[in-house]
Every structure is written in C-alpha cells, then in structure tokens.
Amino acid sequence: QAVRWHIELQPWASPTPSLNYEALRFLKYISTSQISCEHMNLNSLKGYSETTKKPWSICLDERFSLIHRIRSKKCRLYSLGLGNNDNQFELSMANSGCEVHRFDPSIKSAHIQEGRHLWYHRLSIDWRDPNPAIAAHKLHSNTKKLGTVLNEFGHQKIDVLKADVESAEWKILENLILEDVVEQIGQLVFEVHIHWPGFEVSGNDSTVVRYWYSLLRELELKDFRLFHTYKDLSKPQMFLKKEAFNASSCYTLSWVNTRWK
C-alpha cells in the first residue's frame, strides 16, 4: 500500500471559495450526529461518580464493543494532554478496569504507575517523530507519533483515544489517518479548537476550514460516525479570530468506529 502524504480535500462548499459557505458547512457537520448512542456516560458502571468538568462522551451501547471490553477488563484508553489537571475521566476508566495510559510532556518523570490500571508517561504525542539529525529535535526526544508509541508499547489496539492537545489535534488526526493508525482505534473523543487554524495548518481562512472539514470526512470514510458534540460555551465564542457564525472556539467531538470488533 502506497504511503499517503496528503488527505483528499473535499470540493469547495460553493462555486467560488467562500469562508461563509465553508464555515456553515463545517459547523453543521460537527453539530450533526451521524449515529445515535443511548448510553454515553459511565454512570451505568459501578463505582463511578459524575464529577467531570466537561463531557468526554463514549458510546456504551451493546452493539459496540467498548462496553463488553470494559466488562471483561480488556479495554485500553490512551489520553493525550498538555498539562491539563482534569483527569476525572481517566480515573473513572481506570476504576472501571480499563488500562489507561496518559501522555503529557509536563509529567515529572518518564513513566509513573498510579494504581493497578493507570500509567502516566512524559511523552508528547505529535504528528511526526523527532529527526535525530536535527539538533533542535534532540530537545524534543520525548515527542513521538502515536503509531510509534503503539509499536514501542506492543499495543495493537486502543479502545478509546481521548485528546485535548490545544490545537495540535488537527495535525495529529491527519497523521492518524495518513498512516492508517486510526483503524486501530475503537472510539475517538477529541477536543477541537477553531479560534485559529491550529499548529502548522496554513492557508487563508476558507482553505483552513475546508481542510478541517476534509479531515473529518476522511474519518467518515474510515467508518467512524460522530455520535456526540459538546459545544463549550465557557470558552470564547470565536471562529478563526472572529466573533462569527455563533460558534464556540472549542468543541468536544465523539466518534465510534463502526467496523471495530
């Protein structure tokens, strides 16, 4: 299989490129569930108290494998973060018997195990591996692609990938799609930031929004279906540095891989 270097860009939303049309198409897309999910929180599981600051929604319907893997204590969660202290979701998943790995470059030591099921790793998940030939990259030796980490840890599959990476999510998602790593993931829960293009995303505003939209359509082509959207009204209501389109600067989106067994 040939290596892909670029995602397929969707056609423009209008005959001539227009931020207005791109934005409306994108916002409608992220606000529209593609599949229904009846059970989305861990309340149904014993020993869980609902104290999370924001909903990291996962689908626990019987027709998907996650609930069965939680019951049989075979589930695995990867959580990508950047110095965020809200780890209620990770703790609750660990308490449910899931093997939880939290990756955050601000963690004090390289690997910490807290309790039976919870590990912290001083690693930043990125869209590229450091190039050892470049001196500046030696400083970032704790930065790796998700596929590299999976290989190093000997993990074939992740039941849930949660990411709150402050605008690096677009390039990370692109990397997961281009390298087919996304097919090793059962559910994705991503916080997406739309107040600016995101790290290393270039182009004018309409080009940026078309790229965001195209990325999410690639997920759909890989049989991921959006089942929950949380619009964060506590964050500035900004869309590409403008107060426009009644958009929040931050949404939490949840997808389930419908082909996942």
Side-chain angles (χ1 to χ4, degrees):
Q1 187 172 336
V3 175
R4 291 177 65 196
W5 295 99
H6 303 285
I7 61 158
E8 291 288 322
L9 287 175
Q10 292 291 319
W12 291 100
S14 51
T16 53
S18 144
L19 175 60
N20 199 39
Y21 279 101
E22 294 304 321
L24 293 174
R25 174 172 72 170
F26 172 77
L27 290 166
K28 182 178 181 206
Y29 190 80
I30 65 169
S31 307
T32 308
S33 293
Q34 297 168 331
I35 199 167
S36 67
C37 178
E38 302 292 317
H39 308 283
M40 280 190 279
N41 64 29
L42 291 155
N43 283 348
S44 49
L45 305 171
K46 63 182 189 306
Y48 179 68
S49 60
E50 184 68 82
T51 52
T52 42
K53 294 175 188 159
K54 65 178 110 182
W56 296 100
S57 297
I58 50 178
C59 191
L60 298 169
D61 286 4
E62 297 284 339
R63 61 188 165 139
F64 300 123
S65 67
L66 182 59
I67 185 63
H68 307 288
R69 294 172 72 85
I70 290 175
R71 285 183 191 137
S72 60
K73 306 284 190 259
K74 289 198 173 82
C75 68
R76 179 181 293 131
L77 164 73
Y78 271 30
S79 165
L80 318 183
L82 290 172
N84 187 337
N85 297 325
D86 179 16
N87 60 357
Q88 250 353 94
F89 178 71
E90 289 79 355
L91 290 171
S92 59
M93 290 293 277
N95 290 339
S96 308
C98 285
E99 174 191 333
V100 176
H101 296 272
R102 180 156 173 85
F103 298 89
D104 186 331
S106 67
I107 287 162
K108 302 280 187 294
S109 50
H111 304 282
I112 305 169
Q113 183 172 356
E114 293 210 356
R116 271 180 55 204
H117 301 293
L118 181 58
W119 286 265
Y120 290 95
H121 307 281
R122 190 175 60 207
L123 271 174
S124 173
I125 303 298
D126 201 6
W127 53 94
R128 63 201 153 194
D129 287 327
N131 181 344
I134 300 174
H137 283 202
K138 289 196 174 71
L139 302 172
H140 302 287
S141 56
N142 61 347
T143 296
K144 291 180 177 168
K145 294 189 295 193
L146 188 66
T148 304
V149 172
L150 283 170
N151 288 338
E152 289 179 0
F153 284 24
H155 293 162
Q156 301 299 313
K157 291 184 168 185
I158 309 171
D159 292 284
V160 180
L161 177 65
K162 172 198 165 189
D164 180 3
V165 288
E166 307 304 332
S167 300
E169 65 274 354
W170 298 111
K171 293 300 283 186
I172 290 173
L173 193 56
E174 180 186 60
N175 168 255
L176 298 182
I177 290 166
L178 291 177
E179 297 193 353
D180 292 327
V181 176
V182 74
E183 290 165 15
Q184 296 170 255
I185 300 167
Q187 297 193 22
L188 290 170
V189 192
F190 267 57
E191 188 166 288
V192 300
H193 302 83
I194 61 175
H195 57 292
W196 71 295
F199 291 107
E200 294 199 16
V201 177
S202 57
N204 64 21
D205 285 355
S206 53
T207 303
V208 165
V209 184
R210 179 195 188 197
Y211 164 75
W212 290 344
Y213 174 73
S214 301
L215 267 180
L216 302 187
R217 286 299 304 271
E218 289 257 1
L219 278 181
E220 195 181 336
L221 290 172
K222 291 193 179 283
D223 296 301
F224 280 81
R225 296 292 177 267
L226 185 68
F227 65 84
H228 190 258
T229 301
Y230 170 69
K231 179 180 180 179
D232 193 340
L233 296 175
S234 70
K235 297 279 173 73
Q237 305 299 292
M238 300 289 282
F239 188 93
L240 292 176
K241 302 183 178 163
K242 295 186 252 312
E243 290 186 24
F245 308 112
N246 192 25
S248 169
S249 59
C250 183
Y251 292 77
T252 306
L253 306 177
S254 300
W255 292 268
V256 60
N257 180 345
T258 55
R259 262 199 305 193
W260 181 258
K261 294 288 179 278

